[in-house]
Amino acid sequence: MGQIKDMGLPFINNYNKNTYKASNQNWSIAQNDKGFLYFGNNDGLLEFDGSYWELYPLPKRTILRSILAKGDTIFAGAFEEIGYYVPGTDGKMHFHSLVHLIPEYFRAFDEIWKIHNTPSGIVFQSFRFLFVFNNHQIKVIEPFSSFTQSFLVNGNAYVIDRKKGLFRMGARGLELVFSDPLFQRTEIRSLLYRGADELLLGTSTEGLYILKNKALETWPSPVNNKLKTYELFSGIALSENFYAFGTVQNGLYITDRNGRIYQHINRSKGLQNNTILSLFEDRHYNLWMGLDNASTQCRTRRCQVCGCQ
């Protein structure tokens, strides 16, 4: 088993829309217990078993913004639609809506941008509401102003309220973690674990910050200026203490815990597009990128070392 290399390029496998026969934008990525990969695509749910692609549109043919895999169930969120796909006896994925469980007053909720598996249930996040699905019921949580983003960090769900700041979901509802003008100035694109009582916040236009002991400080790291310049859009923690950051204008940056850049991959280095909408590390340590113009598998880890195909 090897680590991410800081010289040369990893093996990159691009899948364009002519290959998977769906739209160019892929907003979210998940993997089920069988190892199948799923993508939230403009045209619906994309399934990839390693050899073949299959598309499962939503009933209203809306953009599938967010997905979450739990076993072989794929929870899905779209424009004023929440529900789940499950495999049927025919081997195909079938969609079941949960909108009927939402009180009618809250059904104009716009897009669902994130879905999280939490101890309280499956959480669907829109800008207007949080929907918590548990025991065949849905609880609605309203923001103080509006929700902008949400994240799952070490099993805890966090959500950003544009005016009030960072909240954590607890047994009693939303608990304020930190408030700062930063949350009104810019979008929070990633929230990553750095250790006990320490979070790494990624902003769209102001780079990376460390939140520790109720204090917010700029993260003095080599990658920070790159993310300020090229606009952070997505970020995840990889195994073995690495981070992956996707930008709007200049592709992917992979760093260590100190922000040292180990890999930079963009269109001139093999990607089909410089805008990284979504990131996901699969169980074999391959890094998948949902691009603004296709999908890419980047074998930055074990497969890069052993050369397997």
Side-chain angles (χ1 to χ4, degrees):
M1 182 177 72
Q3 293 185 339
I4 293 174
K5 296 181 178 180
D6 56 1
M7 296 182 65
L9 292 174
F11 175 84
I12 297 173
N13 193 1
N14 286 304
Y15 300 94
N16 61 44
K17 62 182 182 180
N18 294 324
T19 299
Y20 58 72
K21 300 188 187 321
S23 181
N24 57 332
Q25 291 179 313
N26 294 285
W27 295 96
S28 51
I29 309 170
Q31 186 173 30
N32 73 358
D33 282 353
K34 296 177 182 176
F36 291 9
L37 271 296
Y38 292 89
F39 301 82
N41 183 272
N42 279 9
D43 290 342
L45 181 70
L46 265 177
E47 180 186 72
F48 182 52
D49 65 3
S51 299
Y52 301 100
W53 296 86
E54 186 138 10
L55 176 67
Y56 299 99
L58 288 164
K60 295 181 182 179
R61 305 282 171 167
T62 49
I63 296 171
L64 183 49
R65 299 284 189 186
S66 54
I67 58 173
L68 168 76
K70 185 178 180 181
D72 289 331
T73 299
I74 308 299
F75 289 93
F79 180 78
E80 297 181 357
E81 180 67 273
I82 64 172
Y84 59 92
Y85 287 87
V86 288
T89 55
D90 57 358
K92 306 292 184 180
M93 298 295 284
H94 297 268
F95 181 75
H96 301 267
S97 179
L98 295 171
V99 170
H100 65 283
L101 297 178
I102 301 174
E104 189 170 351
Y105 177 79
F106 299 107
R107 291 182 187 176
F109 52 82
D110 212 322
E111 302 278 1
I112 296 293
W113 292 100
K114 293 285 186 68
I115 309 175
H116 308 291
N117 186 11
T118 77
S120 301
I122 304 298
V123 177
F124 298 83
Q125 179 248 317
S126 75
F127 291 156
R128 297 184 177 184
F129 310 111
L130 298 178
F131 299 117
V132 185
F133 173 62
N134 192 27
N135 292 327
H136 304 289
Q137 296 180 327
I138 287 181
K139 176 184 176 181
V140 181
I141 300 176
E142 298 181 72
F144 291 95
S145 58
S146 63
F147 295 126
T148 60
Q149 283 284 359
S150 62
F151 309 93
L152 192 69
V153 182
N154 270 15
N156 293 310
Y158 293 84
V159 62
I160 309 294
D161 185 285
R162 184 177 296 279
K163 291 185 177 180
K164 294 293 185 177
L166 177 66
F167 287 80
R168 179 174 51 238
M169 280 193 62
R172 299 181 180 179
L174 296 182
E175 304 167 353
L176 182 64
V177 175
F178 187 73
S179 183
D180 191 271
L182 175 75
F183 299 108
Q184 298 178 38
R185 292 198 310 265
T186 186
E187 297 287 336
I188 307 301
R189 295 296 190 187
S190 64
L191 187 68
L192 307 176
Y193 179 75
R194 277 190 55 81
D197 300 320
E198 189 171 335
L199 296 171
L200 182 64
L201 280 78
T203 71
S204 60
T205 56
E206 297 189 22
L208 300 164
Y209 290 83
I210 291 177
L211 176 60
K212 185 177 182 180
N213 298 327
K214 300 292 183 178
L216 196 65
E217 297 181 356
T218 300
W219 192 33
S221 61
V223 75
N224 211 2
N225 285 336
K226 301 290 187 183
L227 300 182
K228 288 180 184 179
T229 301
Y230 298 116
E231 192 176 344
L232 177 67
F233 194 90
S234 53
I236 62 171
L238 301 174
S239 55
E240 299 179 17
N241 294 321
F242 284 87
Y243 297 126
F245 298 104
T247 69
V248 174
Q249 302 176 45
N250 202 21
L252 175 79
Y253 291 88
I254 297 178
T255 78
D256 63 12
R257 283 182 58 85
N258 296 316
R260 177 193 169 192
I261 300 172
Y262 271 64
Q263 288 279 0
H264 172 226
I265 309 167
N266 59 13
R267 188 168 183 174
S268 66
K269 297 178 182 179
L271 295 185
Q272 296 177 91
N273 186 270
N274 276 332
T275 300
I276 314 296
L277 298 177
S278 53
L279 292 164
F280 180 79
E281 186 180 38
D282 70 19
R283 65 183 60 175
H284 297 296
Y285 306 99
N286 298 309
L287 178 61
W288 291 81
M289 289 167 269
L291 306 184
D292 197 41
N293 188 28
S295 294
T296 293
Q297 177 194 33
C298 176
R299 293 179 177 174
T300 59
R301 311 306 298 258
R302 295 176 181 175
C303 285
Q304 177 193 6
V305 176
C306 71
C308 66
Q309 299 295 315

